[in-house]
Amino acid sequence: MLECHGLTKMYGRHEILKNVSFSVGEVGCVGFLGGNGAGKTTTIRILTGLARPTSGIVKVAGLDVTKDMNQISHVIGYCPQQPAFYQDMTGQEWMHWVGGLFQLDQESIRFKTEELLKLCHIYEAKDRSIGSYSGGMKQRLAIAQALINSPKVLILDEPVSALDPMGRKDVLTLIERLKQQMLIFMSTHILDDIERVADHIIMIKSGEVYMSSSMKQIREDYIQPVIEFQLEKQNAELVTLLKDRDWVEECIDTGEAYQVRVKDQRTALKELPGLIIETGSVLLNYRLSKLTLEDIFLKVVNA
């Protein structure tokens, strides 16, 4: 549904995107991640036709963004990070106006407006001016607007950044429902949200694809078990012993606690308490957790 092959983008002599290539399927949610300046916004602008690639092939639903933009506008929905509206319009008037831009008939516009405003939990405010909406309500209206043409691909740029916890929960629930019917390409800095809803991750760094993998594969390959514990006193001997164990990937002494990333969870849980006792340490707390997507992201960004 989305294909990039050898995508590059130059602004003057500055290369923003460098041979970006990825391909994702017809339905599901793709989490698009990268630090500030990595090239996320430039990639999204090219996918939506707001910028042209310097070179490479970019296709949306089989349509070339440099040749078929008129057709592409009918198969994508786009929700920018900072959506803009005519503030004096009501939410309902705005939806009707956007439906007219897509040349929908009046019956379809009325039906879709009611359906989508209810879906995005702003139907009760449909007759209020958009200028009176909160930031979260405007974000929901932007998502409703992006769906009015029944897109095959929904592109969301930071869709929950302006929402309170309840609003975030509502939008994520909506994304989980919509991804059964279409492809959602979602850029966000809230990695817990991506971990919840994404089926595939594309991570870029300095304009290049660093990782493109299914969420399932990432969990298997990267999200390793971590045993965290705290001792009454620091124990350098314990750290040395742990680093020599085959089942230890990495041992980190933060000064206040210890984190042991393990290759073999079963062996680690069996042997670690004995090593702590053997070195004469007093254990204050002990728990098993896992590396998160945020841990992986920070490793990539800081590498």
Side-chain angles (χ1 to χ4, degrees):
M1 191 58 70
L2 286 181
E3 299 176 69
C4 290
H5 300 288
L7 169 62
T8 65
K9 179 62 179 177
M10 303 285 295
Y11 285 107
R13 294 183 178 180
H14 190 40
E15 191 175 27
I16 305 297
L17 298 177
K18 308 168 187 176
N19 195 35
V20 169
S21 298
F22 61 81
S23 178
V24 288
E26 295 186 359
V27 295
C29 179
V30 177
F32 189 48
L33 308 178
N36 292 331
K40 300 190 306 298
T41 298
T42 300
T43 303
I44 287 175
R45 285 178 57 81
I46 290 171
L47 290 173
T48 55
L50 298 174
R52 293 178 66 86
T54 301
S55 63
I57 298 171
V58 182
K59 292 185 177 182
V60 179
L63 301 169
D64 191 308
V65 297
T66 61
K67 302 174 183 176
D68 307 310
M69 202 57 231
N70 287 337
Q71 296 99 302
I72 287 176
S73 65
H74 291 278
V75 298
I76 65 170
Y78 175 46
C79 177
Q81 183 177 1
Q82 296 179 323
F85 303 98
Y86 290 120
Q87 302 294 316
D88 292 335
M89 280 188 175
T90 66
Q92 181 171 256
E93 288 171 341
W94 177 262
M95 292 292 287
H96 284 201
W97 181 73
V98 173
L101 293 179
F102 284 103
Q103 300 180 335
L104 303 180
D105 61 75
Q106 289 302 309
E107 183 178 351
S108 295
I109 289 174
R110 284 193 295 269
F111 174 78
K112 283 181 171 290
T113 294
E114 181 172 343
E115 176 188 44
L116 293 171
L117 292 182
K118 286 179 178 177
L119 186 67
C120 296
H121 299 286
I122 48 173
Y123 184 75
E124 293 75 11
K126 65 184 175 66
D127 295 320
R128 283 171 47 189
S129 67
I130 298 172
S132 71
Y133 284 14
S134 67
M137 292 171 69
K138 289 178 180 178
Q139 196 73 21
R140 291 191 189 95
L141 180 60
I143 293 173
Q145 162 204 300
L147 293 168
I148 199 165
N149 61 325
S150 302
K152 294 180 179 179
V153 179
L154 178 61
I155 298 176
L156 304 176
D157 191 3
E158 298 288 344
V160 295
S161 59
L163 302 182
D164 59 24
M166 186 58 68
R168 274 179 58 203
K169 181 177 180 294
D170 289 342
V171 170
L172 292 173
T173 300
L174 175 60
I175 289 171
E176 288 182 317
R177 187 186 314 171
L178 292 172
K179 74 176 188 176
Q180 309 300 323
Q181 311 160 29
M182 65 183 70
L183 179 69
I184 297 176
F185 191 81
M186 175 179 169
S187 169
T188 181
H189 285 106
I190 305 175
L191 300 180
D192 285 347
D193 294 344
I194 286 288
E195 197 163 357
R196 172 179 165 181
V197 301
D199 305 295
H200 192 97
I201 298 293
I202 298 171
M203 198 177 294
I204 65 171
K205 178 181 178 181
S206 302
E208 299 180 87
V209 173
Y210 186 90
M211 177 189 298
S212 180
S213 181
S214 70
M215 196 67 221
K216 179 181 177 182
Q217 194 64 48
I218 287 173
R219 287 192 176 102
E220 291 176 358
D221 292 346
Y222 293 96
I223 302 183
Q224 300 167 297
V226 178
I227 299 173
E228 298 178 333
F229 60 92
Q230 190 173 7
L231 305 177
E232 188 176 59
K233 296 180 181 179
Q234 281 185 285
N235 190 329
E237 180 189 356
L238 177 61
V239 173
T240 301
L241 286 173
L242 287 172
K243 287 182 177 179
D244 288 337
R245 291 300 187 271
D246 291 340
W247 44 267
V248 174
E249 177 74 28
E250 184 179 18
C251 180
I252 301 172
D253 178 0
T254 67
E256 297 180 353
Y258 297 83
Q259 291 183 342
V260 182
R261 296 174 184 171
V262 302
K263 304 172 187 176
D264 183 339
Q265 179 178 320
R266 185 179 180 85
T267 302
L269 292 174
K270 181 180 178 181
E271 294 189 14
L272 180 56
L275 285 173
I276 292 172
I277 294 170
E278 182 183 318
T279 58
S281 294
V282 177
L283 187 63
L284 299 180
N285 57 56
Y286 182 94
R287 71 187 183 97
L288 176 67
S289 62
K290 287 190 176 242
L291 279 177
T292 65
L293 184 61
E294 182 174 357
D295 296 321
I296 298 167
F297 176 79
L298 291 173
K299 273 191 166 186
V300 171
V301 170
N302 295 323

